[in-house]
Amino acid sequence: MNQHRFVWHDLNTSDVDGAKRFYGEVFNWKFEGSDYVHVSAGDRMIGGIRKLGANEHQPPAWLGYVLVDDVSATVATIEKQHGRVYMPTTVMDKVGTFAVTADPTGAAFAPWRSARPGENEPETQVAVPGPGAFCWDELATTDPEAAGKFYATVFGWEPKAMEMGGGMTYTLFQRPGTQGPNGQPAAAGGMMKSPPGVPHSFWLPYVAVDNADRASEKAAKLGGKVMVPPTDIPNVGRFACWSDPQQAAIAVLAPAMK
């Protein structure tokens, strides 16, 4: 069973208080902490917010953490597969071990292993995330073929390409041995070629919402920018892509009713 899956998301931002106001209003998230702010959706902790340091010359962005068996071994494989290591394997006492890396096309992610064994247990059932929880991660990449081979080697994900019409191909990263809510193989995320005019690669996290239109209207009123307006995906749901007031990209999905 492939347990390599996104389990945590951090927002690295220039304005922590502004981020808390925006996401608290849009998603009803709760926050705890100061230097590192923990984010909860309902009673479940789902991620964190940290302020970018003075010497961190990068734009605000979300960073997804992927559960692995051994962070050091994963980093070694990433390097062999021509990935990048921005932060080497780091141990946080009683919290976990992580690194900050990127695939060969430049999309950043963080291999992660919790110091709390219960958080590393295999899924017994892939649950459908509730409103306010992260529900999907999507790779927009300048080179889908190279990225697909990289993640297949590093995480054992199996790329499954689907023709979406209009010449567009969307790829699911399936996790062998797992099963989704409807019996299909569970996926760690999806992949598409970077849109025209976007010359870089990045992972885009999705948050589940009840209504993508209402959420987008609220986001715009709070200073966010709707980059892709609410759009239907047949048999999947209605999604939209935004940038928050600090210009970190995020997306929402209102799942289709079954």
Side-chain angles (χ1 to χ4, degrees), residues 153-235:
T153 300
V154 173
F155 293 137
W157 295 343
E158 294 183 350
K160 181 182 178 182
M162 302 182 298
E163 296 302 324
M164 304 297 289
M168 178 184 172
T169 299
Y170 193 85
T171 299
L172 295 176
F173 284 122
Q174 293 185 337
R175 295 162 47 207
T178 62
Q179 194 173 73
N182 299 318
Q184 78 282 13
M191 176 176 66
M192 60 181 289
K193 187 171 178 59
S194 297
V198 181
H200 60 279
S201 303
F202 59 95
W203 277 99
L204 178 69
Y206 280 66
V207 176
V209 294
D210 289 323
N211 187 297
D213 295 77
R214 285 201 299 265
S216 296
E217 290 172 5
K218 182 177 287 188
K221 289 179 181 178
L222 292 168
K225 184 176 181 179
V226 179
M227 310 296 288
V228 178
T231 304
D232 287 323
I233 308 173
N235 303 316

Side-chain angles (χ1 to χ4, degrees), residues 104-117:
T105 75
F109 61 93
W112 163 258
R113 186 74 179 175
S114 178
R116 298 176 282 269

Side-chain angles (χ1 to χ4, degrees), residues 84-167:
R84 309 172 193 177
V85 179
Y86 296 127
M87 179 180 289
T89 301
T90 302
V91 178
M92 295 183 291
D93 188 42
K94 298 181 180 180
V95 177
T97 303
F98 76 104
V100 180
T101 62
D103 67 30
T105 75
F109 61 93
W112 163 258
R113 186 74 179 175
S114 178
R116 298 176 282 269
E119 296 181 359
N120 301 317
E121 291 296 320
E123 293 171 309
T124 55
Q125 183 177 0
V126 180
V128 177
F134 289 100
C135 62
W136 190 246
D137 288 86
E138 185 174 86
L139 173 64
T141 177
T142 56
D143 190 341
E145 183 177 358
K149 292 177 180 177
F150 173 83
Y151 290 105
T153 300
V154 173
F155 293 137
W157 295 343
E158 294 183 350
K160 181 182 178 182
M162 302 182 298
E163 296 302 324
M164 304 297 289

